Amino acid sequence: MIQVEQNRYYDSANLTLLLDRVRAAFGVGGELGPGELRDALGLSRKFVIPVLEYCDRRGLTGRSTNGRVWRGA
């Protein structure tokens, strides 16, 4: 289990699949806002924002002027 935020944990295999979907949503050099990622992933903001903040902490994403950019491998 991996803690994404306080009181929210994901199974490591499921989190890996979700992060793969996040990476794919960004495409090549894309910049997306939370709403665009919400639509691409089919999840509510309640789940998307904590995952994005987790990605920020891990250095996978970074905030930009209009949303976030993918920085991870």
Side-chain angles (χ1 to χ4, degrees), residues 5 8 33-36 38-39 42-52 68:
E5 70 172 338
R8 188 177 306 251
E36 294 167 304
R38 178 198 65 219
D39 294 343
L43 300 172
S44 72
R45 265 180 89 81
K46 176 181 177 180
F47 295 102
V48 170
I49 297 299
V51 169
L52 289 176
R68 286 185 169 81

Side-chain angles (χ1 to χ4, degrees), residues 27-39:
V28 178
E31 180 179 68
L32 298 174
E36 294 167 304
L37 284 163
R38 178 198 65 219
D39 294 343

Side-chain angles (χ1 to χ4, degrees), residues 1-2 5-6 8 12-13 15 20 24-25 27-28 31 34 39 42 46 51 53 56-57 61-62 68-70:
M1 299 302 281
I2 297 173
E5 70 172 338
Q6 185 175 348
R8 188 177 306 251
S12 62
L15 183 59
D20 287 343
V28 178
E31 180 179 68
D39 294 343
K46 176 181 177 180
V51 169
E53 290 173 350
D56 289 346
R57 287 191 306 273
T61 57
R68 286 185 169 81
V69 293
W70 184 257

